[in-house]
């Protein structure tokens, strides 16, 4: 059976780092198994869904290099949900309910006040036909609940959490459709997972109790013959795995993380590969390492390494991973982001000094000039004049120059190197001078030494 995973964002906002992590892990699960990774746009909520967010989701996944193999939109699949709903209704697995929000709120308060769990009391199920007719005559449109089977214990083997068990009577019959006919998340998602042949559902642990309910929905849908065609999931449901949530370094769910997305990363100069390397392993027993090669990350990707403790996202760690990834990047992959004239040799010289690719320009300026030299002592000025004389151009001008000066002046260490670096670049530190000097060029180098 081919592995099929899906990432199912609601287009009501931008993707944040938590969503990105879920998308990545679903992508990895599919890629590793040679399967298919689908994007499912959960846009049943017409009021809150926006087209610009759909576009941004696609663009963000593209930038991250985890583009899906296919896309479905719930807003275009309404007929499927309608059909499933009618079947469940005919089988007595959904029922109309007429309580208002306020009434439900009050019931919950009373239950909590009595120390009882706030589970829906199924009052709507007890209504007689006459009572229902009276409600409708008053113009009250019903919302619809899925009727859980209280006799069927819910259990599954979770890919991360291990064996899970739920007593259905401890759960409320979920509302699956609003009074205005619109869908809530619960039923469409299960219908789609069956219809799209999704084999593995990997999502955040905030969905665990949804999974309990959806397992009964899957079973009910099978019972009403929804998958009569050759659906790979015939008579069963996907493998479920729920990953621990992503929290800030301080161990809490933070507002900042909830809005930290691709734009912010890009603006900060974070490479997609750094985000991928970090999120691939955060919350697992494997170390976060600056691995730019996806095949390596895929090789080691394994749900059994995922822990139950919240995964801690630390910006400083991301910065470290990013710098290490930048240091590995080939000229070809960054060429179009570099200043004009900066070639492969220049990239190679400058790369080890960068935390972000967009700092390359500042270092390249040391080559192209103009530079600002510090004030030198008389002694250093004499030394630098000697250096201008001694400069010879060849294979490796820097080592020829420093070798010669060491002999003729007796200087060594910092006294030998630092004034030269300062005169040639205006800086106390920076790229390897052996690589930098040929880029500066003979004439310019001589002029800089002479003008010190
Ligand atoms: N649209 C749902 C969400 O964003 C999808 C959950 C799921 O993966 O089933 O939470």
């Amino acid at each position: 059976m081919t592995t099929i995973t899906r990432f199912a964002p609601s287009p009501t906002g931008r993707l944040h780092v938590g969503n990105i992590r879920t998308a990545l892990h679903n992508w990895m699960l599919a890629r590793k198994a040679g399967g298919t990774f689908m994007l499912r746009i959960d846009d049943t909520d017409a009021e809150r869904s926006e087209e610009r967010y759909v576009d941004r989701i696609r663009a963000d996944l593209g930038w991250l290099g985890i583009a899906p193999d296919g896309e479905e939109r719930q807003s275009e699949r309404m007929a499927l949900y309608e059909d499933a709903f009618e079947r469940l209704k005919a089988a007595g697995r959904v029922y109309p309910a007429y309580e208002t929000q306020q009434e439900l709120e009050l019931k919950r308060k009373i239950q909590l006040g009595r120390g009882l769990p706030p589970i829906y009391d199924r009052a709507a199920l007890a209504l007689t036909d006459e009572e229902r007719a009276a409600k409708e005559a008053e113009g009250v449109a019903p919302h619809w609940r899925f009727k859980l089977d209280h006799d069927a214990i819910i259990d599954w083997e979770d890919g991360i959490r291990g064996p899970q068990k739920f007593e259905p009577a401890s759960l409320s019959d979920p509302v699956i459709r609003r009074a205005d006919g619109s869908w809530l998340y619960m039923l469409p998602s299960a219908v789609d997972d069956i219809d799209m042949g999704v084999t593995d559902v990997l999502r955040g642990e905030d969905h665990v109790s949804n999974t309990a309910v959806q397992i009964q929905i899957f079973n009910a849908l099978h019972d009403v013959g929804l998958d009569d065609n050759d659906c790979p999931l015939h008579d069963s449901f996907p493998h479920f795995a729920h990953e621990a949530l992503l929290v800030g370094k301080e161990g809490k769910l933070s507002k900042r993380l909830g809005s930290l997305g691709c734009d912010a990363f890009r603006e900060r100069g974070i490479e997609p590969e750094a985000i991928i390397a970090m999120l691939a392993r955060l919350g697992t027993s494997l170390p976060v390492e600056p691995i730019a090669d996806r095949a390596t990350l895929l090789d080691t990707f394994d749900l059994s390494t995922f822990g139950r403790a919240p995964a801690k996202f630390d910006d400083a760690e991301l910065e470290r991973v990013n710098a290490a990834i930048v240091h590995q990047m080939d000229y070809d992959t960054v060429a179009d982001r570099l200043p004009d004239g900066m070639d492969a040799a220049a990239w190679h010289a400058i790369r080890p000094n960068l935390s972000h690719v967009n700092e390359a320009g500042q270092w390249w300026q040391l080559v192209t000039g103009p530079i600002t030299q510090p004030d030198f002592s008389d002694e250093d000025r004499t030394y630098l004049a000697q250096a201008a004389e001694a400069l010879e151009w060849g294979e490796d001008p820097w080592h020829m120059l420093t070798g010669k000066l060491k002999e003729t002046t007796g200087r060594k260490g910092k006294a030998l190197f630092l004034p030269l670096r300062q005169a040639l670049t205006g800086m106390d530190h920076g790229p390897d001078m052996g690589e930098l000097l040929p880029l500066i060029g003979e004439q310019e180098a001589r002029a800089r030494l002479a003008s010190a």
Side-chain angles (χ1 to χ4, degrees), residues 352-384:
N353 287 82
L354 304 178
S355 302
H356 309 105
V357 172
N358 61 15
E359 294 151 12
Q362 296 156 33
W363 293 107
W364 179 236
Q365 233 240 302
L366 305 187
V367 172
T368 56
I371 58 155
T372 314
Q373 296 169 329
D375 288 331
F376 291 105
S377 65
D378 290 345
E379 212 182 317
D380 277 347
R381 268 210 296 277
T382 314
Y383 169 59
L384 290 166

Side-chain angles (χ1 to χ4, degrees), residues 142-308:
H143 55 274
W144 297 84
R145 288 185 184 262
F146 174 76
K147 187 178 163 204
L148 290 166
D149 178 353
H150 282 187
D151 296 327
I153 297 285
I154 301 162
D155 55 11
W156 76 93
E157 183 66 32
D158 193 281
I160 294 171
R161 298 163 66 86
Q164 302 291 299
K165 196 167 180 173
F166 278 79
E167 199 59 65
S170 71
L171 302 165
S172 293
D173 288 340
V175 177
I176 56 167
R177 195 170 197 179
R178 297 186 190 89
D180 66 1
S182 64
W183 301 104
L184 281 116
Y185 153 77
M186 214 60 99
L187 177 67
S189 182
V191 169
D192 287 340
D193 285 338
I194 292 178
D195 185 68
M196 291 162 65
V198 170
T199 58
D200 295 78
V201 172
L202 172 57
R203 54 191 178 188
E205 67 181 12
D206 50 329
H207 281 288
V208 169
S209 59
N210 286 343
T211 296
V213 167
Q214 282 176 333
I215 282 177
Q216 282 220 353
I217 295 182
F218 277 110
N219 289 336
L221 291 173
H222 291 306
D223 290 345
V224 297
L226 195 81
D227 60 350
D228 272 349
N229 27 29
D230 24 295
C231 165
L233 286 174
H234 189 70
D235 254 8
S236 89
F237 46 81
H239 295 130
F240 285 99
H242 297 86
E243 48 188 29
L245 298 181
L246 195 67
V247 296
K249 190 177 80 174
E250 60 295 334
K252 284 198 271 224
L253 277 173
S254 72
K255 263 224 174 90
R256 201 186 75 82
L257 272 194
S259 62
L260 185 60
C262 289
D263 278 356
F265 288 132
R266 200 171 14 221
E267 270 158 35
R268 258 165 64 191
I270 300 292
E271 301 298 322
E273 294 312 327
I275 301 167
I276 300 291
M278 173 134 154
L279 294 181
R281 293 204 171 166
L282 212 59
T284 74
S285 56
L286 302 167
V288 169
E289 290 170 324
I291 299 172
D293 174 35
R294 297 218 178 171
T296 308
L297 288 174
L298 285 174
D299 273 349
T300 56
F301 180 76
D302 186 345
L303 289 186
S304 72
T305 63
F306 280 66
R308 297 281 300 268

Side-chain angles (χ1 to χ4, degrees), residues 379 381-391 401 405 408-409 411:
E379 212 182 317
R381 268 210 296 277
T382 314
Y383 169 59
L384 290 166
Q386 275 178 290
E389 288 283 305
L391 185 65
L401 175 67
L405 289 172
T408 53
T409 66
R411 289 193 181 219

